[in-house]
Amino acid sequence: MSTLATPATAGGRHRMLSRDFSRLWSAAAVSSIGDGVTIAAAPLLAAQLTDDPRLIGGVSVAFTAPFVLFGIPAGLLVDRLDIRTAMVRVDIARAVLLAVLALGILGGWGGLPLLYVCMFLLGVGEVFCRNAAQVLVPFITPESGLATANARVMAAQEAGSGFLGPLIGALLFSVAIALPFGVDAATFLCSALLVSRIRRSRPPAARPDTAGGVLPEMLAGARWLWRHHLLRSLALLSCMINIAGSAMLAVLVVHSEQVLRLSAFGYGVMLSCQAVGAVLASRFAPVLTARLGREGALVATAALIATSEAVLATLPSAYAAGSALAIFACGTVTWNVVVVVLRQTLVPRHLLGRANSVYRLIAWGGLPVGAAAGGIVAAEAGTPAVFGIGAAVMAVMAVGLLYGARRQWITRAAPEQRDGEDIR
């Protein structure tokens, strides 16, 4: 019999730290290190193949485009499938994909087209697994511990993808170009093994609340989310943050080489600075939210992100850039802790996968847009212009959130009942 605790039956802090949660956390940590390896190595590979910022930014576009194309279908699959089994299979598929890329580089046929295809398919897997993991967390964690649980998962992800991974990736890339992709393949295999040891359990299948087949089922989550004023607004705001952040990260390797004059390893060290802010935020975001309120915490995050972009735009220093990335990560992790807990506590259980995927479709839809726009602006006006535009966008958002905080827009909009009909 499974020992996974549901929100209705779980109790006490020890439940949150059950073996199943530890395995999910460990899988997230291991695979995130591999993600960081590829996050550092893929733009470096693209920069060796071309000096066009638009084509280098195309790597980020390829990876993030599936967030728009497959977000809603992924949510339906999460609601229908055994999450554990599906995540294992996706991790194995991603390991095979990265092994093919490594072999292509070694064989001399690993050019930009193969890199784009691999990054696109990796993005497809990321869409499903991120959604599935977030849906699984509330079923192995008591509701009172969701903020801490999500913060710990995010800390593992950010420390891996933002600190250890980039350092390892840049170092391995300097040794052999194919090596980082092979290492990432191995991390996905480790993740698959850890997830496979989670006891067999999944959220209940979607209720038959629609008729007419798959399309109405997928649209059920979209209709629910769009009727919910609070979550709809947060999704749109998250989209704006992702446009600004993705544009920044897409051209960061160009900025590192042309403005900061960093080596490949120096670029990896700079990227790893994100983990400092992310880990700090993951530890203090629940405390910050409790003291400032959810509205105040979101105002602070927007201000932090605006500050980070402004520093990158105005100070051509590697130390300043590293500090800016730490500030940026601190802001984004705090934002995520607040909005993820809101989704997990407000969305009906039977719609969680689909509503979560629609939210991601809106929020993550800004990632390819930002990456493409960043590459175009950098090619025409230079990388500082990309960061300056991002700073202006986030400053305007911070002012708007401050106005909303004074009116307690989250507290007033959040419904008392998860499954209530009146959600406006």
Side-chain angles (χ1 to χ4, degrees):
M1 179 180 297
S2 173
T3 60
L4 288 181
T6 67
T9 61
R13 184 179 179 86
H14 67 282
R15 288 280 190 172
M16 186 188 67
L17 301 177
S18 66
R19 290 181 180 179
D20 285 316
F21 179 82
S22 296
R23 288 162 184 158
L24 180 64
W25 178 88
S26 298
V30 171
S31 63
S32 293
I33 292 174
D35 289 342
V37 169
T38 296
I39 286 171
L44 290 171
L45 175 60
Q48 282 208 349
L49 297 171
T50 179
D51 58 0
D52 189 332
R54 292 166 293 188
L55 295 179
I56 296 172
V59 174
S60 294
V61 174
F63 181 71
T64 54
F67 303 159
V68 177
L69 299 177
F70 301 108
I72 294 179
L76 178 60
L77 289 175
V78 168
D79 280 338
R80 285 186 165 191
L81 299 177
D82 182 304
I83 290 181
R84 187 201 68 161
T85 301
M87 289 179 70
V88 169
R89 291 176 178 175
V90 171
D91 276 346
I92 292 174
R94 289 193 283 183
V96 172
L97 187 65
L98 284 161
V100 170
L101 177 59
L103 291 174
I105 295 171
L106 291 174
W109 42 274
L112 276 177
L114 178 62
L115 180 60
Y116 287 159
V117 169
C118 287
M119 295 303 291
F120 179 84
L121 294 177
L122 287 173
V124 173
E126 189 74 3
V127 169
F128 178 84
C129 284
R130 284 292 182 104
N131 196 339
Q134 280 193 1
V135 169
L136 186 56
V137 167
F139 289 84
I140 58 177
T141 308
E143 189 166 306
S144 61
L146 284 177
T148 300
N150 283 294
R152 291 188 180 188
V153 171
M154 290 177 192
Q157 291 173 338
E158 294 298 331
S161 64
F163 179 64
L164 291 175
L167 285 177
I168 296 171
L171 180 61
L172 294 177
F173 189 88
S174 65
V175 174
I177 296 177
L179 189 56
F181 304 104
V183 169
D184 194 6
T187 65
F188 278 123
L189 292 177
C190 291
S191 175
L193 178 62
L194 287 165
V195 173
S196 70
R197 297 187 62 199
I198 295 176
R199 299 198 177 192
R200 190 172 187 82
S201 182
R202 70 176 180 89
R207 292 199 304 236
D209 51 4
T210 58
V214 172
L215 182 59
E217 282 195 51
M218 290 192 296
L219 294 179
R223 286 197 302 270
W224 191 94
L225 183 72
W226 199 251
R227 288 173 57 204
H228 199 291
H229 175 72
L230 171 59
L231 294 182
R232 181 182 72 225
S233 299
L234 287 172
L236 293 171
L237 291 172
S238 296
C239 178
M240 295 301 298
I241 291 175
N242 284 335
I243 289 175
S246 180
M248 177 191 78
L249 294 174
V251 301
L252 196 58
V253 67
V254 178
H255 188 72
S256 170
E257 292 181 350
Q258 297 182 358
V259 177
L260 303 181
R261 305 298 180 184
L262 295 177
S263 64
F265 183 71
Y267 169 70
V269 173
M270 183 179 68
L271 277 184
S272 71
C273 292
Q274 293 180 89
V276 177
V279 172
L280 287 175
S282 68
R283 290 185 61 86
F284 296 111
V287 177
L288 180 68
T289 303
R291 291 188 177 181
L292 298 182
R294 291 169 295 190
E295 292 92 349
L298 294 188
V299 173
T301 63
L304 286 172
I305 297 171
T307 300
S308 68
E309 296 259 21
V311 169
L312 282 169
T314 57
L315 299 177
S317 160
Y319 297 104
S323 300
L325 289 176
I327 295 170
F328 172 79
C330 184
T332 55
V333 169
T334 303
W335 178 279
N336 286 335
V337 168
V338 175
V339 300
V340 167
V341 171
L342 280 171
R343 294 205 306 271
Q344 291 172 339
T345 54
L346 298 179
V347 179
R349 295 292 182 211
H350 71 286
L351 284 174
L352 188 53
R354 284 168 286 171
N356 203 36
S357 69
V358 176
Y359 185 100
R360 287 182 178 277
L361 174 64
I362 299 170
W364 287 9
L367 294 175
V369 174
I376 293 171
V377 172
E380 297 297 327
T383 53
V386 177
F387 309 140
I389 293 172
V393 169
M394 292 308 305
V396 171
M397 182 180 295
V399 173
L401 286 170
L402 181 60
Y403 174 77
R406 291 177 177 176
R407 302 182 63 187
Q408 294 186 311
W409 69 293
I410 295 179
T411 302
R412 291 184 176 185
E416 293 295 328
Q417 298 296 327
R418 179 196 304 276
D419 296 301
E421 293 296 329
D422 183 8
I423 56 175
R424 289 186 179 277

